[in-house]
């Protein structure tokens, strides 16, 4: 049967996120709505006989940066070229932008062959921190403070993402912030997932602020396990996480094609999502 490549509907994006859950990626509850807010046209699927058989997110953050994620082919339709078809369509959509992705180890060589260059490793830490303490004042993000969050986020993420963040910061997600003498010093978000909570983003001026945010997010997640994807370059932070009982798990590689973005990696203690960067 002929294959059609087209933009996915909202319900089809929901289905793609459910496929991610089936792959063991543990997406967040309600993720599809927030992910789609980043770029409603940025989700592409292969349709055969009226059914989606493969999908990908190819989200454009303005004219300069894009991100590839949620690259899944339905297990019963693998080996038929549908995955390659959505990949090609997604990359064509992003054009000459700098494009990022988080690749699993077994696909790293394949992505390098496609022109992606490794930037750093990301390690997922999971568990319930025991005895973690923080010494910064932390409080909930209020709607009136969104503009301040957007400005801070722009230092840490490669491109503006206002529409996405306005959705991502909304309850029931837990959004916390830290302020210092010069203004906002960091913020973090936790969201309920199929299993436990994921923390992301976790952006901060320094490790002490990042740990204080983790303490507050831990206290607000009802004793459930936390998961956070931490750049391996944050050596001190990862050492503390292990010391308080969080366990390193699988790794991914952040990779870019077309150049390296100019954000400040030193402020990134936890990436937002593996799906959107």
């Amino acid at each position: 049967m002929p294959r059609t490549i087209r933009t996915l509907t909202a319900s089809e994006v929901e289905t793609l996120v459910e496929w991610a859950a089936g792959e063991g990626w543990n997406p967040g509850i309600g993720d599809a709505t927030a992910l789609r807010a980043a770029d409603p046209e940025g989700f592409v699927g292969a349709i055969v006989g009226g059914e989606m058989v493969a999908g990908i997110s190819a989200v454009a953050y303005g004219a300069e940066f894009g991100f590839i994620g949620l690259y899944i082919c339905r297990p019963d339709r693998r080996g038929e070229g549908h995955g390659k078809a959505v990949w090609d369509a997604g990359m064509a959509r992003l054009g000459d932008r700098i494009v990022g992705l988080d690749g699993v180890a077994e696909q790293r060589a394949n992505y390098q062959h496609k022109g992606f260059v490794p930037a750093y490793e990301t390690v997922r830490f999971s568990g319930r921190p025991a005895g973690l303490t923080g010494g910064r004042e932390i409080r909930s993000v209020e709607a009136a403070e969104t503009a301040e969050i957007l400005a801070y986020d722009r230092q840490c993420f490669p491109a503006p993402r206002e529409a996405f963040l306005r959705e991502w910061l909304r309850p029931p997600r837990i959004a916390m912030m830290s302020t210092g003498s010069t203004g906002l010093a960091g913020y973090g978000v936790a969201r309920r997932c199929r299993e436990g909570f994921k923390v992301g983003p976790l952006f901060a001026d320094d490790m002490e602020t990042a740990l204080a945010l983790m303490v507050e997010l831990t206290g607000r997640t009802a004793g459930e396990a936390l998961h956070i994807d931490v750049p391996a370059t944050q050596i001190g932070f990862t050492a503390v996480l292990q010391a308080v009982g969080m366990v390193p798990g699988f790794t991914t590689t952040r990779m870019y094609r077309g150049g390296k973005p100019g954000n400040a990696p030193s402020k990134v203690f936890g990436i937002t999502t593996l799906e959107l960067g």
Side-chain angles (χ1 to χ4, degrees):
M1 300 180 73
R3 174 175 59 222
T4 300
I5 302 295
R6 61 165 172 79
T7 301
L8 297 179
T9 65
S11 64
E12 288 167 336
V13 175
E14 294 273 4
T15 298
L16 187 58
V17 172
E18 287 302 316
W19 287 2
E23 294 288 323
W25 297 357
N26 193 29
I29 306 300
D31 269 8
T33 298
L35 299 181
R36 193 167 177 269
D39 179 4
E41 305 297 314
F43 298 81
V44 179
I47 312 298
V48 177
E51 295 184 345
M52 183 169 67
V53 296
I56 196 169
S57 58
V59 168
Y61 293 102
E64 305 297 327
F65 184 68
F67 204 87
I68 290 286
L70 286 173
Y71 180 29
I72 309 173
C73 184
R74 214 170 71 188
D76 63 316
R77 302 304 298 263
R78 290 174 183 169
E80 300 174 1
H82 306 307
K84 183 179 185 302
V86 295
W87 170 274
D88 290 345
M91 291 301 295
R93 182 176 191 273
L94 295 179
D96 294 331
R97 294 173 177 84
I98 295 174
V99 179
L101 58 78
D102 288 307
V104 295
E106 56 267 29
Q107 290 296 324
R108 176 169 166 165
N110 181 41
Y111 292 137
Q112 286 181 285
H113 180 71
K114 297 177 184 297
F116 284 82
V117 177
Y120 57 83
E121 300 297 307
T122 298
V123 183
R124 175 162 295 176
F125 284 83
S126 299
R128 191 74 185 170
L132 187 62
T133 60
R136 299 285 193 275
E137 181 181 347
I138 307 296
R139 58 187 175 83
S140 298
V141 174
E142 302 296 335
E145 295 163 319
T146 302
E148 193 175 2
I149 295 288
L150 291 172
Y152 191 88
D153 188 81
R154 186 63 188 89
Q155 301 174 48
C156 308
F157 192 77
R161 49 178 182 171
E162 178 176 351
F164 167 76
L165 279 180
R166 288 191 181 278
E167 184 67 33
W168 200 247
L169 294 170
R170 290 175 54 192
R173 293 178 189 83
I174 304 163
M176 309 302 299
M177 62 188 286
S178 173
T179 53
S181 58
T182 59
L184 186 62
Y187 85 98
V189 178
R191 73 194 196 279
R192 181 175 290 281
C193 295
R194 269 62 172 181
E195 189 276 315
F197 284 78
K198 281 185 181 176
V199 175
L202 182 63
F203 296 159
D205 285 353
D206 49 52
M207 186 173 78
E208 290 73 23
T209 302
L211 289 171
L213 286 162
M214 279 292 290
V215 168
E216 189 64 31
L217 291 170
T218 300
R220 291 175 178 253
T221 48
E224 296 191 48
L226 300 183
H227 310 277
I228 180 170
D229 296 302
V230 184
T233 51
Q234 295 287 9
I235 297 171
F237 186 66
T238 59
V240 172
L241 293 183
Q242 291 187 78
V244 297
M246 296 194 77
V247 179
F250 75 92
T251 64
T252 55
T253 302
R254 173 60 60 89
M255 309 178 78
Y256 295 109
R257 190 205 70 175
K260 194 172 181 180
N263 57 307
S266 64
K267 294 177 182 280
V268 179
F269 291 86
I271 69 168
T272 308
T273 72
L274 295 178
E275 294 81 15
L276 261 68

